[in-house]
Amino acid sequence: MEVLRMSGAVTQNDTWTGNVDYLVQTGDIVDRGDDVIKMYAYVESLRAEARAHGGDVLSHFGNHEMMNLVGDWRFVPPSEISTFGGIEARQKILTSGWIGAAWRANYSISTRLPLHPSMGTINTDYDETTAASLQDLSHAALSFCHGGLSPTYSKLTPYPSALNNVGSKLVARLQDREVQPKPHPPYPYAGLPLGTTGEEEELYEADGPLWYRGWAMDKEAVACKAVDDVLKKIGVRRLVMGHTPHFAHILSRCDGKIIIIDTGISHAYGGILSAAKFTYTLWPSKTKGVWIARDLVTAIYPDGEDVLIDDIREIRADFL
C-alpha cells in the first residue's frame, strides 16, 4: 500500500486519487503470503473506483499466476493455502471462483499503452500499414508485460492482440479442466494439459512473455542491438517489465528503451519500495505541424525521486 500512496495513485485512505491516468501492475500478486486474497480484492475494488473516475488499473498475468493454474505450486507458502481454506478451496477460487473470474476479465499478457489519443485506445493493435499517417507519433506508446517480449518469440504481432488471445485461450483451458490436477508438490508435476496448442506452449516457455529475462540479464551490447527491431515491430518506444528484480533500484537500459521495474517490493523479497512514473507532454511549436514532445520517466522511492529519462524533441504531426 505504501508504494501506491507514494506513487500518487491512491490517497492516505487508499482510495483512487485521480492524479494518474493509469496504474499498471505487471503480475505476480499470488504466492506472496497471507495477504494475497486481500490484495486481489483491493485491486478489483480500486479498478472499479478508477474506471468510475475516468482512469483504470491495468493488470497482467505473471508467471506465478499461470504456474498456479498449471498446478505448479512450488512457491506457494503453506500459510497462504490456509488463508484460502485448503488446497481444494484455493484451486476453486483461482479457477471458477471470484479470483479466477477477475483473471479472465481483467488480466492480460501484455498491454500497449498509447501516449496520445490519436494512437487509439489501450491495446489498439499496431498497424504498420497505417503508421505513416501518424507521422512521428506512430510509436508513441509503451509496452508492459511481466517477463519480456523476446526477439525470437513467434507470435508478437499483431501486437498486443496476438499475445493476449493466446493467453486467454491458455487460461481458459487451464481453468476449465473437469478435474484440476493435484498440486506439485507434493504430487507429481502434471504440466500443461492434453490438447494444449503449440502457440500456448510457446507462451509458457522460457522465451515466452511470462518467463523471458533477456532484456534484464543479457549484456548491454546484446540487448541494445536487439531491442530496436522489437520496438519497431510492435509500435512502441519502451519495453517495461518486471519478473527479474534489481533490489536496489529501477533499471533503465539502452537509453531508456528497456525499463525493468521489479525491485522486489514484496515482503517476501525485501527489496526497495519503488514505482515508475511515465509522463508524456505535447505542446505546439512556432512552426505549423511541428510539436514539442517531452517524455519523462521517473523512479519513485521512499526517500525521493530519480529522473531516468527526460527526452524533449520536436515531432511532426500535421494532423493535430
Side-chain angles (χ1 to χ4, degrees):
M1 297 308 301
E2 185 176 344
V3 169
L4 295 179
R5 295 176 195 132
M6 73 184 192
S7 72
V10 306
T11 68
Q12 291 302 311
N13 295 322
D14 301 329
T15 58
W16 186 255
T17 63
N19 294 332
V20 301
D21 296 313
Y22 305 103
L23 173 66
V24 183
Q25 200 277 332
T26 56
D28 281 3
I29 296 176
V30 77
D31 293 354
R32 296 298 181 258
D34 297 356
D35 294 328
V36 163
I37 294 175
K38 294 179 182 177
M39 285 306 302
Y40 277 119
Y42 176 72
V43 168
E44 292 309 306
S45 175
L46 187 64
R47 192 190 323 278
E49 190 177 349
R51 289 175 177 175
H53 291 83
D56 209 346
V57 177
L58 307 176
S59 298
H60 297 83
F61 286 102
N63 61 305
H64 282 261
E65 277 83 13
M66 205 68 75
M67 288 169 70
N68 273 264
L69 290 179
V70 171
D72 184 350
W73 288 22
R74 285 173 295 159
F75 299 98
V76 184
S79 62
E80 181 181 318
I81 297 175
S82 298
T83 66
F84 282 81
I87 291 175
E88 291 184 3
R90 189 173 186 273
Q91 286 181 318
K92 184 175 181 179
I93 292 174
L94 298 184
T95 55
S96 60
W98 69 269
I99 292 180
W103 285 356
R104 284 209 199 197
N106 296 321
Y107 286 67
S108 64
I109 298 297
S110 190
T111 292
R112 182 173 184 258
L113 183 59
L115 297 174
H116 191 273
S118 64
M119 305 280 296
T121 57
I122 295 171
N123 283 340
T124 296
D125 278 341
Y126 173 66
D127 185 350
E128 187 176 5
T129 63
T130 61
S133 66
L134 294 170
Q135 298 174 301
D136 291 340
L137 280 175
S138 64
H139 285 62
L142 303 172
S143 165
F144 292 90
C145 73
H146 179 68
L149 305 181
S150 168
T152 63
Y153 188 76
S154 69
K155 293 290 290 185
L156 281 182
T157 58
Y159 178 79
S161 65
L163 285 168
N164 290 332
N165 289 342
V166 174
S168 294
K169 291 175 183 177
L170 179 57
V171 169
R173 185 183 303 281
L174 295 170
Q175 289 184 327
D176 292 345
R177 285 177 290 191
E178 290 187 11
V179 178
Q180 289 294 321
K182 294 181 178 180
H184 167 73
Y187 301 98
Y189 177 56
L192 296 173
L194 291 175
T196 301
T197 65
E199 61 184 15
E200 291 166 1
E201 290 178 352
E202 185 184 21
L203 186 89
Y204 195 61
E205 289 174 351
D207 275 356
L210 299 171
W211 291 95
Y212 184 64
R213 297 186 189 271
W215 300 125
M217 300 187 69
D218 284 349
K219 291 183 178 179
E220 190 84 358
V222 174
C224 296
K225 183 178 180 180
V227 70
D228 284 336
D229 285 344
V230 174
L231 295 175
K232 181 180 179 181
K233 180 184 292 186
I234 66 174
V236 302
R237 286 188 181 163
R238 310 189 194 285
L239 304 178
V240 187
M241 67 216 75
H243 188 48
T244 306
H246 293 262
F247 297 104
H249 58 85
I250 291 172
L251 180 66
S252 172
R253 307 190 76 191
C254 306
D255 296 322
K257 296 173 183 177
I258 300 166
I259 308 288
I260 313 297
I261 61 173
D262 190 343
T263 60
I265 66 173
S266 167
H267 60 76
Y269 291 99
I272 190 171
L273 299 181
S274 68
K277 182 178 181 180
F278 299 83
T279 306
Y280 188 72
T281 311
L282 197 65
W283 65 93
S285 73
K286 295 180 180 179
T287 304
K288 184 178 180 180
V290 176
W291 296 71
I292 309 299
R294 185 184 188 192
D295 197 354
L296 180 65
V297 182
T298 307
I300 303 172
Y301 305 108
D303 60 352
E305 300 182 0
D306 289 339
V307 174
L308 301 179
I309 301 114
D310 192 357
D311 180 19
I312 300 176
R313 67 177 76 180
E314 287 189 347
I315 66 166
R316 179 159 292 281
D318 294 338
F319 57 91
L320 294 179

